[in-house]
Amino acid sequence: VPLGQYMNLTLADGTTVYLNSGTTFRYPTAFTGKVRQVEIDGEGFFQVTHQEKDIPFVVKTSKGDVRVLGTKFNVEAYAERDRFVTSLLEGKVEVVTAIGNLMLNPDEKATLVDGTLKKESLSGRGIIDFNNIRFGDLMSEFEKIYGVRIIIENPELEDNFCLGKFRRIDGLDYALRVLQVDIPFEFRQDFETQT
């Protein structure tokens, strides 16, 4: 997926995948055999279609695998970054790494940091609801929520008022695209400096 863009696609089994900027995703044109397997380097949100024969769906990454039957979850695993996070919204998943395995229930996330795999409550799920907030103030909120630095190069944008809501897990890229519907602006991301 080119930088500054995102993509969604539907796989042969009906599973929907939303891919974030800078992500590489490999998948077969048709699923055959006892496992539905895909590979991701980057970040993606999956809505996995349940199959009658309970054929597992496996997302392979450089840091670990996520095994599911039918569920909604997010995976962040860029090969060049020391970060692996799986966040579960619905269903059940098993996170499998060289360090160990974890079963996740809804509203839980697994993180692999500094060689430790741990399970936490999914605090970042929630809805971001903004009602008549200045664009500049909303960008400050996004900096806190997503841990990035946002530079507004056009000061005229700052006093535009914004109204809307979306899920935190949809990500910053998605949030900015939603705002572009009402406010004409362009954005670019620098992943190295998180800006």
Side-chain angles (χ1 to χ4, degrees):
V1 182
L3 293 178
Q5 297 184 30
Y6 70 102
M7 181 181 297
N8 67 335
L9 51 102
T10 302
L11 305 182
D13 65 344
T15 292
T16 305
V17 186
Y18 300 87
L19 300 171
N20 206 350
S21 174
T23 296
T24 300
F25 185 65
R26 291 181 181 85
Y27 61 97
T29 54
F31 291 107
T32 58
K34 298 179 180 178
V35 173
R36 294 175 285 166
Q37 183 171 297
V38 298
E39 294 179 34
I40 192 169
D41 176 1
E43 184 175 11
F45 179 75
F46 295 79
Q47 291 180 261
V48 177
T49 301
H50 181 75
Q51 292 194 328
E52 289 180 16
K53 297 178 183 177
D54 285 342
I55 298 173
F57 190 94
V58 177
V59 180
K60 295 189 74 64
T61 80
S62 61
K63 312 237 178 358
D65 299 346
V66 182
R67 301 176 190 273
V68 303
L69 291 176
T71 194
K72 295 181 182 179
F73 64 99
N74 196 78
V75 174
E76 181 184 347
Y78 289 92
E80 76 276 5
R81 298 186 204 164
D82 185 25
R83 180 174 164 83
F84 172 67
V85 181
T86 299
S87 306
L88 179 64
L89 298 185
E90 293 178 12
K92 199 168 195 175
V93 299
E94 180 183 15
V95 178
V96 181
T97 70
I99 293 163
N101 301 0
L102 278 178
M103 291 297 292
L104 293 181
N105 293 309
D107 296 325
E108 291 181 336
K109 70 178 177 180
T111 56
L112 178 61
V113 180
D114 298 327
T116 303
L117 182 65
K118 60 183 179 179
K119 184 182 347 186
E120 302 173 60
S121 171
L122 184 55
S123 58
R125 180 182 176 180
I127 300 290
I128 299 174
D129 193 348
F130 44 95
N131 185 2
N132 224 19
I133 185 173
R134 286 178 62 253
F135 184 85
D137 295 335
L138 183 58
M139 293 305 106
S140 296
E141 286 298 310
F142 284 168
E143 286 184 320
K144 295 175 201 164
I145 292 167
Y146 295 109
V148 298
R149 183 168 166 244
I150 298 176
I151 300 166
I152 300 174
E153 294 179 342
N154 179 358
E156 292 178 14
L157 287 175
E158 294 196 36
D159 289 325
N160 281 283
F161 282 87
C162 307
L163 172 70
K165 69 170 67 173
F166 59 91
R167 298 175 307 170
R168 288 179 192 228
I169 199 153
D170 287 334
L172 178 59
D173 190 77
Y174 175 81
L176 293 174
R177 291 189 181 282
V178 169
L179 291 170
Q180 283 179 317
V181 172
D182 293 322
I183 303 170
F185 69 92
E186 295 179 358
F187 66 92
R188 61 186 182 277
Q189 295 173 289
D190 185 332
F191 288 98
E192 288 185 16
T193 61
Q194 289 292 298
T195 303

mmCIF file of all heavy atoms in Angstrom, residues 11-15 30-36 48-57 68-71:
data_model
loop_
_atom_site.group_PDB
_atom_site.id
_atom_site.type_symbol
_atom_site.label_atom_id
_atom_site.label_comp_id
_atom_site.label_asym_id
_atom_site.label_seq_id
_atom_site.Cartn_x
_atom_site.Cartn_y
_atom_site.Cartn_z
ATOM 1 N N LEU A 11 -11.202 -11.088 0.335
ATOM 2 C CA LEU A 11 -10.514 -12.304 -0.068
ATOM 3 C C LEU A 11 -11.509 -13.323 -0.618
ATOM 4 O O LEU A 11 -12.722 -13.144 -0.514
ATOM 5 C CB LEU A 11 -9.758 -12.883 1.126
ATOM 6 C CG LEU A 11 -8.778 -11.931 1.817
ATOM 7 C CD1 LEU A 11 -8.050 -12.644 2.951
ATOM 8 C CD2 LEU A 11 -7.774 -11.352 0.837
ATOM 9 N N ALA A 12 -10.975 -14.412 -1.164
ATOM 10 C CA ALA A 12 -11.812 -15.419 -1.829
ATOM 11 C C ALA A 12 -12.861 -16.023 -0.898
ATOM 12 O O ALA A 12 -13.928 -16.436 -1.346
ATOM 13 C CB ALA A 12 -10.921 -16.521 -2.403
ATOM 14 N N ASP A 13 -12.591 -16.079 0.416
ATOM 15 C CA ASP A 13 -13.535 -16.682 1.364
ATOM 16 C C ASP A 13 -14.535 -15.670 1.911
ATOM 17 O O ASP A 13 -15.350 -15.990 2.773
ATOM 18 C CB ASP A 13 -12.778 -17.329 2.526
ATOM 19 C CG ASP A 13 -12.020 -16.307 3.366
ATOM 20 O OD1 ASP A 13 -11.830 -15.163 2.899
ATOM 21 O OD2 ASP A 13 -11.622 -16.646 4.491
ATOM 22 N N GLY A 14 -14.466 -14.418 1.434
ATOM 23 C CA GLY A 14 -15.372 -13.379 1.907
ATOM 24 C C GLY A 14 -14.805 -12.527 3.025
ATOM 25 O O GLY A 14 -15.419 -11.550 3.438
ATOM 26 N N THR A 15 -13.624 -12.871 3.537
ATOM 27 C CA THR A 15 -12.969 -12.078 4.575
ATOM 28 C C THR A 15 -12.625 -10.702 4.028
ATOM 29 O O THR A 15 -12.128 -10.573 2.907
ATOM 30 C CB THR A 15 -11.689 -12.793 5.069
ATOM 31 O OG1 THR A 15 -12.074 -13.983 5.759
ATOM 32 C CG2 THR A 15 -10.861 -11.907 5.980
ATOM 33 N N ALA A 30 -7.171 -18.168 -4.151
ATOM 34 C CA ALA A 30 -8.197 -19.077 -3.618
ATOM 35 C C ALA A 30 -7.590 -19.838 -2.443
ATOM 36 O O ALA A 30 -6.398 -20.161 -2.455
ATOM 37 C CB ALA A 30 -8.658 -20.044 -4.697
ATOM 38 N N PHE A 31 -8.405 -20.115 -1.429
ATOM 39 C CA PHE A 31 -7.930 -20.880 -0.277
ATOM 40 C C PHE A 31 -8.207 -22.365 -0.507
ATOM 41 O O PHE A 31 -9.332 -22.754 -0.774
ATOM 42 C CB PHE A 31 -8.635 -20.419 1.008
ATOM 43 C CG PHE A 31 -8.234 -19.044 1.441
ATOM 44 C CD1 PHE A 31 -9.117 -17.979 1.287
ATOM 45 C CD2 PHE A 31 -6.995 -18.792 2.003
ATOM 46 C CE1 PHE A 31 -8.763 -16.703 1.682
ATOM 47 C CE2 PHE A 31 -6.631 -17.525 2.406
ATOM 48 C CZ PHE A 31 -7.509 -16.478 2.244
ATOM 49 N N THR A 32 -7.151 -23.176 -0.407
ATOM 50 C CA THR A 32 -7.297 -24.625 -0.528
ATOM 51 C C THR A 32 -6.590 -25.254 0.667
ATOM 52 O O THR A 32 -5.709 -24.656 1.279
ATOM 53 C CB THR A 32 -6.672 -25.139 -1.830
ATOM 54 O OG1 THR A 32 -5.291 -24.766 -1.853
ATOM 55 C CG2 THR A 32 -7.363 -24.576 -3.053
ATOM 56 N N GLY A 33 -6.974 -26.444 1.022
ATOM 57 C CA GLY A 33 -6.314 -27.134 2.128
ATOM 58 C C GLY A 33 -7.001 -26.885 3.460
ATOM 59 O O GLY A 33 -8.139 -26.434 3.532
ATOM 60 N N LYS A 34 -6.264 -27.165 4.548
ATOM 61 C CA LYS A 34 -6.837 -27.151 5.890
ATOM 62 C C LYS A 34 -6.652 -25.826 6.619
ATOM 63 O O LYS A 34 -7.105 -25.668 7.750
ATOM 64 C CB LYS A 34 -6.223 -28.277 6.720
ATOM 65 C CG LYS A 34 -6.524 -29.651 6.152
ATOM 66 C CD LYS A 34 -5.881 -30.740 6.971
ATOM 67 C CE LYS A 34 -6.202 -32.094 6.378
ATOM 68 N NZ LYS A 34 -5.548 -33.189 7.114
ATOM 69 N N VAL A 35 -5.975 -24.862 5.979
ATOM 70 C CA VAL A 35 -5.725 -23.575 6.619
ATOM 71 C C VAL A 35 -5.885 -22.461 5.589
ATOM 72 O O VAL A 35 -5.461 -22.600 4.448
ATOM 73 C CB VAL A 35 -4.293 -23.512 7.214
ATOM 74 C CG1 VAL A 35 -3.972 -22.127 7.727
ATOM 75 C CG2 VAL A 35 -4.129 -24.521 8.333
ATOM 76 N N ARG A 36 -6.526 -21.361 6.007
ATOM 77 C CA ARG A 36 -6.572 -20.156 5.186
ATOM 78 C C ARG A 36 -5.441 -19.263 5.701
ATOM 79 O O ARG A 36 -5.538 -18.705 6.794
ATOM 80 C CB ARG A 36 -7.917 -19.446 5.360
ATOM 81 C CG ARG A 36 -9.089 -20.234 4.846
ATOM 82 C CD ARG A 36 -10.401 -19.552 5.154
ATOM 83 N NE ARG A 36 -10.764 -19.687 6.558
ATOM 84 C CZ ARG A 36 -11.708 -18.976 7.166
ATOM 85 N NH1 ARG A 36 -12.389 -18.059 6.511
ATOM 86 N NH2 ARG A 36 -11.982 -19.174 8.439
ATOM 87 N N VAL A 48 -12.939 -11.594 9.592
ATOM 88 C CA VAL A 48 -12.785 -12.939 9.047
ATOM 89 C C VAL A 48 -14.141 -13.634 8.940
ATOM 90 O O VAL A 48 -14.916 -13.657 9.893
ATOM 91 C CB VAL A 48 -11.832 -13.782 9.924
ATOM 92 C CG1 VAL A 48 -11.724 -15.201 9.391
ATOM 93 C CG2 VAL A 48 -10.459 -13.127 9.970
ATOM 94 N N THR A 49 -14.401 -14.219 7.787
ATOM 95 C CA THR A 49 -15.631 -14.960 7.546
ATOM 96 C C THR A 49 -15.517 -16.355 8.146
ATOM 97 O O THR A 49 -14.540 -17.066 7.907
ATOM 98 C CB THR A 49 -15.893 -15.088 6.027
ATOM 99 O OG1 THR A 49 -15.982 -13.783 5.473
ATOM 100 C CG2 THR A 49 -17.170 -15.845 5.758
ATOM 101 N N HIS A 50 -16.516 -16.713 8.942
ATOM 102 C CA HIS A 50 -16.551 -18.056 9.531
ATOM 103 C C HIS A 50 -16.940 -19.056 8.453
ATOM 104 O O HIS A 50 -17.802 -18.788 7.623
ATOM 105 C CB HIS A 50 -17.569 -18.093 10.668
ATOM 106 C CG HIS A 50 -17.647 -19.431 11.339
ATOM 107 N ND1 HIS A 50 -16.674 -19.889 12.202
ATOM 108 C CD2 HIS A 50 -18.580 -20.414 11.258
ATOM 109 C CE1 HIS A 50 -17.012 -21.087 12.633
ATOM 110 N NE2 HIS A 50 -18.168 -21.436 12.068
ATOM 111 N N GLN A 51 -16.280 -20.212 8.454
ATOM 112 C CA GLN A 51 -16.605 -21.261 7.491
ATOM 113 C C GLN A 51 -17.171 -22.475 8.219
ATOM 114 O O GLN A 51 -16.730 -22.798 9.330
ATOM 115 C CB GLN A 51 -15.363 -21.653 6.679
ATOM 116 C CG GLN A 51 -14.912 -20.535 5.757
ATOM 117 C CD GLN A 51 -13.910 -21.001 4.726
ATOM 118 O OE1 GLN A 51 -13.123 -21.898 4.979
ATOM 119 N NE2 GLN A 51 -13.938 -20.376 3.564
ATOM 120 N N GLU A 52 -18.116 -23.143 7.586
ATOM 121 C CA GLU A 52 -18.797 -24.279 8.213
ATOM 122 C C GLU A 52 -17.833 -25.375 8.650
ATOM 123 O O GLU A 52 -18.027 -26.026 9.668
ATOM 124 C CB GLU A 52 -19.835 -24.868 7.255
ATOM 125 C CG GLU A 52 -21.040 -23.965 7.057
ATOM 126 C CD GLU A 52 -22.057 -24.561 6.114
ATOM 127 O OE1 GLU A 52 -21.983 -25.785 5.854
ATOM 128 O OE2 GLU A 52 -22.922 -23.802 5.648
ATOM 129 N N LYS A 53 -16.774 -25.600 7.905
ATOM 130 C CA LYS A 53 -15.829 -26.672 8.226
ATOM 131 C C LYS A 53 -14.793 -26.231 9.262
ATOM 132 O O LYS A 53 -13.857 -26.967 9.557
ATOM 133 C CB LYS A 53 -15.118 -27.142 6.957
ATOM 134 C CG LYS A 53 -16.063 -27.753 5.932
ATOM 135 C CD LYS A 53 -15.311 -28.163 4.685
ATOM 136 C CE LYS A 53 -16.261 -28.712 3.627
ATOM 137 N NZ LYS A 53 -15.563 -29.054 2.385
ATOM 138 N N ASP A 54 -14.967 -25.032 9.841
ATOM 139 C CA ASP A 54 -14.034 -24.512 10.858
ATOM 140 C C ASP A 54 -12.582 -24.514 10.375
ATOM 141 O O ASP A 54 -11.666 -24.903 11.096
ATOM 142 C CB ASP A 54 -14.140 -25.298 12.171
ATOM 143 C CG ASP A 54 -15.404 -24.932 12.934
ATOM 144 O OD1 ASP A 54 -15.987 -23.869 12.639
ATOM 145 O OD2 ASP A 54 -15.788 -25.692 13.829
ATOM 146 N N ILE A 55 -12.392 -24.085 9.128
ATOM 147 C CA ILE A 55 -11.031 -23.990 8.597
ATOM 148 C C ILE A 55 -10.375 -22.754 9.190
ATOM 149 O O ILE A 55 -10.847 -21.633 8.992
ATOM 150 C CB ILE A 55 -11.046 -23.910 7.048
ATOM 151 C CG1 ILE A 55 -11.665 -25.180 6.479
ATOM 152 C CG2 ILE A 55 -9.644 -23.706 6.510
ATOM 153 C CD1 ILE A 55 -11.894 -25.137 4.986
ATOM 154 N N PRO A 56 -9.281 -22.935 9.959
ATOM 155 C CA PRO A 56 -8.658 -21.781 10.631
ATOM 156 C C PRO A 56 -8.130 -20.754 9.644
ATOM 157 O O PRO A 56 -7.724 -21.076 8.533
ATOM 158 C CB PRO A 56 -7.500 -22.400 11.418
ATOM 159 C CG PRO A 56 -7.768 -23.862 11.444
ATOM 160 C CD PRO A 56 -8.590 -24.177 10.246
ATOM 161 N N PHE A 57 -8.159 -19.503 10.070
ATOM 162 C CA PHE A 57 -7.591 -18.389 9.307
ATOM 163 C C PHE A 57 -6.332 -17.972 10.057
ATOM 164 O O PHE A 57 -6.380 -17.697 11.256
ATOM 165 C CB PHE A 57 -8.591 -17.236 9.252
ATOM 166 C CG PHE A 57 -8.211 -16.136 8.302
ATOM 167 C CD1 PHE A 57 -8.681 -16.116 7.001
ATOM 168 C CD2 PHE A 57 -7.385 -15.091 8.717
ATOM 169 C CE1 PHE A 57 -8.348 -15.098 6.126
ATOM 170 C CE2 PHE A 57 -7.038 -14.074 7.853
ATOM 171 C CZ PHE A 57 -7.522 -14.071 6.551
ATOM 172 N N VAL A 68 -7.310 -17.707 13.885
ATOM 173 C CA VAL A 68 -8.706 -17.392 14.203
ATOM 174 C C VAL A 68 -9.647 -18.323 13.435
ATOM 175 O O VAL A 68 -9.252 -18.967 12.475
ATOM 176 C CB VAL A 68 -9.053 -15.927 13.832
ATOM 177 C CG1 VAL A 68 -8.147 -14.963 14.510
ATOM 178 C CG2 VAL A 68 -8.996 -15.726 12.335
ATOM 179 N N LEU A 69 -10.927 -18.360 13.870
ATOM 180 C CA LEU A 69 -11.966 -19.078 13.129
ATOM 181 C C LEU A 69 -12.919 -18.098 12.478
ATOM 182 O O LEU A 69 -13.267 -18.236 11.326
ATOM 183 C CB LEU A 69 -12.717 -20.035 14.053
ATOM 184 C CG LEU A 69 -11.899 -21.229 14.545
ATOM 185 C CD1 LEU A 69 -12.702 -22.052 15.529
ATOM 186 C CD2 LEU A 69 -11.486 -22.102 13.361
ATOM 187 N N GLY A 70 -13.390 -17.097 13.192
ATOM 188 C CA GLY A 70 -14.267 -16.078 12.625
ATOM 189 C C GLY A 70 -14.343 -14.925 13.599
ATOM 190 O O GLY A 70 -14.837 -15.094 14.702
ATOM 191 N N THR A 71 -13.834 -13.761 13.231
ATOM 192 C CA THR A 71 -13.676 -12.705 14.220
ATOM 193 C C THR A 71 -13.299 -11.374 13.574
ATOM 194 O O THR A 71 -13.071 -11.303 12.383
ATOM 195 C CB THR A 71 -12.589 -13.125 15.240
ATOM 196 O OG1 THR A 71 -12.634 -12.284 16.360
ATOM 197 C CG2 THR A 71 -11.221 -13.084 14.633
#
